[in-house]
Amino acid sequence: MKNLFAKVLTASAFCVLVFGCKKNAGSGRLYLNLKSVSSTVFNPNDNIHFSFEFSHPNTETVNDTLIIRRQFFTCPYFSADTPKALIVPEFVSTADALSDLDYQYLYGNGILGCSNGTNSRTDSAYFYFTLKDKNGNLSETVKSPKIILKK
C-alpha cells in the first residue's frame, strides 16, 4: 500500500510540473498561446474572434507576422491550405513580458470556408497559428478547437 501511495504521489507531482507550467512563457523563446475563440460554430457573416497571448525573448522593436493555416475535415475543394499571414502592428517589447493579440475576421462568401467560389458546404476545420519574428524565429504552433463553418 505504501508503494502504491508513493507511485501516485510521484505521478501527481510530475503532472503538476508538466501541466502547471506554460511551455515557453518567460523561457527566452518566442511564445504564443491561444487564450480563447469566440465560438466553435459559425454561420456566414459571423465574426470569428481568436484571442492570444504572446511574448518575445528580447527587449526590442517587434515586427511579427501571425501565420494562419486551416485543416478541413472533409472539404473536397482543398488538398492543402495556403497559409495566410497577418502583420502584427509594430511595437516595443519588453523581454518575456506577455502581450495580448486579437485576430478577428468576418466569415462569409466563401472566405476561409469550404468553397471553390461557386459551391460551398458546411465543414469543420482546425486553425493553426504560428508567430514569426523579424529574424525568422518561430513560436510553437498552436491549434484551435474544432471549428464548424456552416454553409
Side-chain angles (χ1 to χ4, degrees), residues 56-73:
H56 289 269
N58 304 314
T59 298
E60 63 185 356
T61 301
V62 174
N63 296 343
D64 286 345
T65 303
L66 182 66
I67 301 166
I68 306 148
R69 188 175 58 81
R70 303 166 296 181
Q71 179 185 13
F72 284 101
F73 280 48

Side-chain angles (χ1 to χ4, degrees), residues 30-47:
L30 194 59
Y31 169 74
L32 179 68
N33 180 52
L34 178 61
K35 292 190 321 185
S36 65
V37 180
S38 55
S39 180
T40 56
V41 179
F42 296 95
N43 293 305
N45 300 316
D46 283 350
N47 282 316

Side-chain angles (χ1 to χ4, degrees), residues 3-17:
N3 193 17
L4 178 63
F5 178 73
K7 287 180 182 178
V8 169
L9 184 60
T10 301
S12 297
F14 178 75
C15 288
V16 166
L17 285 174

Side-chain angles (χ1 to χ4, degrees), residues 61-64 87-92:
T61 301
V62 174
N63 296 343
D64 286 345
I87 305 301
V88 178
E90 182 178 288
F91 70 99
V92 176

Side-chain angles (χ1 to χ4, degrees), residues 9-12 20 34 41-42 45 47 63-64 75 77 79 98-99 105 111 119-120 127 130-131 134 140 144 147 150:
L9 184 60
T10 301
S12 297
L34 178 61
V41 179
F42 296 95
N45 300 316
N47 282 316
N63 296 343
D64 286 345
C75 186
Y77 310 123
S79 58
L98 289 176
S99 300
Y105 68 90
I111 299 171
N119 300 313
S120 63
F127 286 74
T130 307
L131 197 61
K134 64 184 174 185
E140 289 193 13
S144 74
I147 304 290
K150 292 189 172 185

Side-chain angles (χ1 to χ4, degrees), residues 21-32 53 55 96 98:
C21 298
K22 291 185 177 180
K23 202 168 192 176
N24 287 337
S27 68
R29 293 184 60 193
L30 194 59
Y31 169 74
L32 179 68
E53 65 182 3
S55 70
D96 296 322
L98 289 176

